[in-house]
Every structure is written in C-alpha cells, then in structure tokens.
Amino acid sequence: MGDSPRLGFRGVLLDWRGTLVVAPTYRWLARTALENLGRDASSGVVETVLDRLRSADSSRVDSSAIDTDVAEHRAAYLAWFAAAGLDDELAAALYAAESDAGRNPFATDVGDLLLALTSAGVRIGVVSDIHVDLRPVFAANSVGDERTWADLIDVWALSYELGVAKPDPAIFRFALDRLGMPAQDVLMVGDRGAWDGAAAAIGITTLVLPPLTDAREARLHRVLDLVLPGRAGA
C-alpha cells in the first residue's frame, strides 16, 4: 500500500476571518483608528466610540449581503458611522482599519496546515465573505522555498468577486466546480454555523470550529484529523 497517507477528503474549503485569522473586534478597530489619527485612544475614549456605535442601527452591516459589492460595503459602514454621530475623519479611519486584511493575524498553525494538505495532494480553496482581495496577505507569507501561501491555494471564492455570499449555496457550488470535485469529497471548515454550516445543505461535510480569538491558538490539527486520518505524528 506504500507510505501515501489515507485521505478522508480530497479537497478542503477554508473560511478566512475567525478560522484562519483573528477577526477584528470593534474595540480593536476603534483603538486602531484613533491611534492612526494621533488621537487619544485611552479606554474611556474607545468606550465612548463603542457606545455611539451601539446606539445606531447596525442591521445593514450585520448582513453578509453587503460583502457581495465593494461600494455597498463601504456605503453601509459609513452610513452606520454617520448614524452613530462619528466625525468623517474617524469614520474613514475606522473603515480603513476594517478593510486592511493585513491587520488580521494568521493563526500560528496555518502554514503547517496548508503545507500538510498540499503535500498530501489535497486541493485547497478559500471561501470568504469579504470585500477585499485576500491573495496579497497569503502571498506575504513564504513557504520556505520559492512559493508563498498563495501558491498553495487552488481556488478563491471571494464574495465581492462573485456577487454572492454565505449562506447562499452558490458560493459553495462555485468552489466545488473550480475544485472539480463532488461535494462528498470536500470538507468545509469555518467558525460560524449559520454561514459556513450552510455548505452541509449541498452535501459538503462541514467542520465548525470556535472562532479564533488568539493567533497562538492551535486548533487546525482538527482539520488534518479528518482529512489525513492516521497521519504520521498524529
């Protein structure tokens, strides 16, 4: 039978925020925006910003529908900030921080996961409700040879490029089509049951992990337990 690992799945689809990277909190966004503007970023000032945001209707920004269009995403956030009574400069700084994918730290075990899957011949897709291109932040991480993490990703299913977002099954169907695999051969990995878990409705086995809150958390071995069962060192 040789030494090749036994595959539980031939393809893996990965969510981004909350799964591979720490998702920004509004507290972090407020502090970062204030610091970037050279303003007072003490806890009391940050709390004042948060109180204003809580006082305004955020239902529009809470919907994944805004992730299907860059202009709509920006308009929704700026309308929320305006309704909260934030000045234009602070609103722009908040949105810039929220949209800077490079500020979302990757979990320390992401590189190991991508390399293990690629080395075993497993195809990888990134499926994300997002309004910015994620390829550059993956490309900023080197594998150690001439490749980057971006070179290890076979499929990019990004909502703003496709005009569709989770939990719409169309985004998962697009990923399956690009992988060239049936649903039963693919594992979806995310952190939100109502969004990422929707992949199960079209036959994709789905692993929902607790949202990543600290980049030092090591939990992606759970993916390898399912995809490469009985792998060496397990």
Side-chain angles (χ1 to χ4, degrees):
M1 296 179 61
D3 297 324
S4 298
R6 177 169 57 89
L7 297 181
F9 297 92
R10 296 193 299 121
V12 173
L13 300 176
L14 299 166
D15 173 53
W16 183 59
R17 275 183 174 167
T19 302
L20 299 182
V21 302
V22 178
T25 64
Y26 286 117
R27 185 175 302 279
W28 177 88
L29 287 172
R31 185 177 66 252
T32 299
L34 290 166
E35 290 174 346
N36 288 344
L37 292 173
R39 298 187 186 182
D40 181 0
S42 61
S43 58
V45 176
V46 169
E47 195 59 41
T48 296
V49 173
L50 294 177
D51 285 342
R52 290 184 178 181
L53 292 174
R54 296 185 192 107
S55 72
D57 181 9
S58 63
S59 57
R60 188 176 171 192
V61 300
D62 291 336
S63 170
S64 62
I66 66 170
D67 292 314
T68 64
D69 182 86
V70 175
E72 169 62 15
H73 188 279
R74 184 175 186 276
Y77 268 88
L78 294 183
W80 179 36
F81 297 155
L86 303 182
D87 64 83
D88 291 346
E89 187 180 50
L90 179 55
L94 280 167
Y95 190 72
E98 198 283 333
S99 300
D100 187 350
R103 286 182 175 271
N104 301 159
F106 278 98
T108 55
D109 53 356
V110 170
D112 291 339
L113 172 68
L114 297 179
L115 276 173
L117 293 176
T118 300
S119 298
V122 177
R123 287 172 59 80
I124 305 170
V126 171
V127 182
S128 178
D129 290 349
I130 195 66
H131 60 293
V132 296
D133 190 3
L134 298 182
R135 296 171 184 85
V137 293
F138 281 80
N141 292 272
S142 173
V143 173
D145 46 30
E146 295 183 352
R147 297 175 298 168
T148 70
W149 290 0
D151 296 315
L152 307 184
I153 307 301
D154 299 288
V155 174
W156 300 92
L158 308 181
S159 61
Y160 84 98
E161 292 183 337
L162 301 178
V164 64
K166 307 169 196 171
D168 192 320
I171 195 168
F172 302 111
R173 291 196 180 101
F174 172 87
L176 289 177
D177 181 64
R178 290 303 177 92
L179 285 177
M181 297 178 185
Q184 61 265 29
D185 287 351
V186 177
L187 175 71
M188 174 68 204
V189 183
D191 69 299
R192 300 183 299 171
W195 285 266
D196 302 305
I202 62 169
I204 302 174
T205 299
T206 304
L207 172 63
V208 179
L209 298 168
L212 182 69
T213 58
D214 188 320
R216 296 169 295 182
E217 294 178 34
R219 65 217 178 95
L220 296 177
H221 61 281
R222 301 301 183 194
V223 179
L224 296 178
D225 290 343
L226 294 172
V227 181
L228 305 175
R231 70 189 190 283

